[in-house]
Amino acid sequence: MLASFDLQYKTYSWAEALAKDGYDVFMMDLQGSGRSPRPEMGSPCNLSENDQKLLIPRPPGFTPPCSPTYPHQLNNSDSDQAELHRVVEYIKLKCGVEQVAFVGWSAAAFTMGPYAVKHPENVESMFLLAPIFPPKATSSPPSPPPSPVPMSLGARPGLENAWNLELRSPDQREPGMVDAVWAAYMESEPIGSTWGPPEGLNRIRSFARWGWNETTAGQGGVLGGSVPVLIVDGEHDRTANTTPPSGNVELNFSVRALYGAIAGPHKVMVKALGASHQMPWEQQHMNLHNLSSKWIEDRQVDGKTTGVFVMHQNGVISPAP
């Protein structure tokens, strides 16, 4: 979460930008992520055999392959939403407010979207950047569960290579950003930072998800109704927009499909030209900060509460052609 929303590098901290605009900003790491507890994630045995092979040099006392001591997911859709609910209730009590404005990026949509549908009384508005949305995904817990271990590993080359696939111009990403982001990851990684290569590894929780699809998004007209929604879609985002479409409905993502599935009229989508899935770490990050701040303030884009818009690289917003 610190790397995503509070990257302490030049002007890249999204949370700091919103705080300077006068908002009380709270950041949440779900269990198994960032600075939240990571139960069962301290043992290399709780990795798949393929991930165990990445641990070179080996951690002390570890001899692969070894069987997992906790052969389960760490989280699921229900537990994630329960955690979010506890945080929302805490913020309401601490700040003396009835509702909270959500700002989420990427997989945050899996938790924020269904939660807002179930608890619209707690959600003032929702701002979703590059939301992961599988329109035909399951509404029921998967059986069997998708992963027999509680975590996987992410490496610095994986971050850089995936990001590079979405770069279309030499000035889209400032030099040194991969190093800055990875350093922020490692700052919250007391164990993974000591594993494997010198730059360390990032432990990623595994979780079973369900209930975030076109049925949920349109349920009762809540999203776009009592909960206004703004969606930002990077022009070059191939992470939240599966290209070409996947044959697995659980992995077939579409930002545009989410906009179409939201039944209420108070919904806006903004196509960010020249941006990728990693927009908060790219040259357009301040455009993103400004857009989210204005949405929280008046829940409008260019004076409108519905429609599809284009945000140019200079921050100017215009109706989509």
Side-chain angles (χ1 to χ4, degrees):
M1 183 61 70
L2 293 180
S4 300
F5 284 92
D6 193 25
L7 183 63
Q8 290 298 309
Y9 183 73
K10 298 185 178 180
T11 58
Y12 284 88
S13 174
W14 193 350
E16 188 173 310
L18 290 174
K20 287 180 177 178
D21 283 344
Y23 299 108
D24 293 321
V25 180
F26 295 82
M27 295 179 290
M28 175 186 176
D29 282 322
L30 289 164
Q31 178 181 242
S33 302
R35 295 191 176 182
S36 283
R38 301 196 195 194
E40 309 298 341
M41 293 175 67
S43 169
C45 293
N46 284 329
L47 293 163
S48 69
E49 286 193 17
N50 284 337
D51 276 341
Q52 289 182 26
K53 295 175 183 177
L54 297 176
L55 301 184
I56 299 173
R58 296 175 183 173
F62 170 65
T63 302
C66 60
S67 299
T69 59
Y70 186 81
H72 312 283
Q73 283 80 28
L74 186 61
N75 307 63
N76 60 46
S77 290
D78 285 347
S79 67
D80 283 356
Q81 290 175 49
E83 289 183 39
L84 178 57
H85 184 67
R86 290 289 298 272
V87 170
V88 168
E89 290 298 316
Y90 169 81
I91 294 171
K92 288 170 56 180
L93 181 63
K94 184 172 183 64
C95 297
V97 297
E98 294 298 320
Q99 293 182 311
V100 174
F102 281 175
V103 177
W105 177 14
S106 192
F110 282 129
T111 304
M112 288 183 170
Y115 179 87
V117 170
K118 294 174 184 176
H119 299 281
E121 72 281 358
N122 287 340
V123 185
E124 181 180 75
S125 65
M126 191 152 57
F127 181 101
L128 296 177
L129 167 65
I132 304 296
F133 180 72
K136 302 295 184 182
T138 181
S139 294
S140 305
S143 182
S147 176
V149 290
M151 63 175 171
S152 60
L153 292 175
R156 185 194 178 285
L159 168 68
E160 184 169 15
N161 292 339
W163 195 349
N164 286 347
L165 291 174
E166 298 180 7
L167 296 181
R168 295 294 181 274
S169 66
D171 61 348
Q172 186 175 331
R173 180 180 70 202
E174 181 180 355
M177 285 309 299
V178 176
D179 288 333
V181 171
W182 190 255
Y185 275 146
M186 292 299 95
E187 186 181 349
S188 298
E189 253 295 8
I191 293 177
S193 61
T194 68
W195 284 357
E199 65 269 22
L201 295 164
N202 185 35
R203 293 171 297 161
I204 303 169
R205 71 191 186 116
S206 63
F207 71 109
R209 58 174 173 82
W210 62 85
W212 179 230
N213 50 39
E214 59 189 9
T215 300
T216 308
Q219 186 175 329
V222 173
L223 299 184
S226 59
V227 180
V229 180
L230 190 156
I231 300 167
V232 180
D233 183 21
E235 179 185 16
H236 307 312
D237 190 339
R238 296 173 53 181
T239 304
N241 297 290
T242 309
T243 306
S246 169
N248 183 347
V249 296
E250 300 295 335
L251 299 176
N252 194 20
F253 307 140
S254 171
V255 176
R256 184 72 191 226
L258 174 57
Y259 180 77
I262 294 173
H266 198 159
K267 61 177 183 176
V268 179
M269 188 167 82
V270 175
K271 175 75 75 174
L273 299 183
S276 78
H277 192 74
Q278 317 296 355
M279 188 177 177
W281 303 327
E282 294 180 347
Q283 296 282 24
Q284 284 209 71
H285 63 281
M286 294 186 72
N287 292 339
L288 181 66
H289 299 169
N290 294 334
L291 182 63
S292 62
S293 181
K294 292 176 181 176
W295 174 257
I296 294 170
E297 180 182 9
D298 57 21
R299 295 176 288 284
Q300 297 180 13
V301 171
D302 198 31
K304 306 293 192 304
T305 59
T306 190
V308 180
F309 297 83
V310 170
M311 183 166 67
H312 300 267
Q313 297 181 48
N314 60 3
V316 173
I317 294 175
S318 59

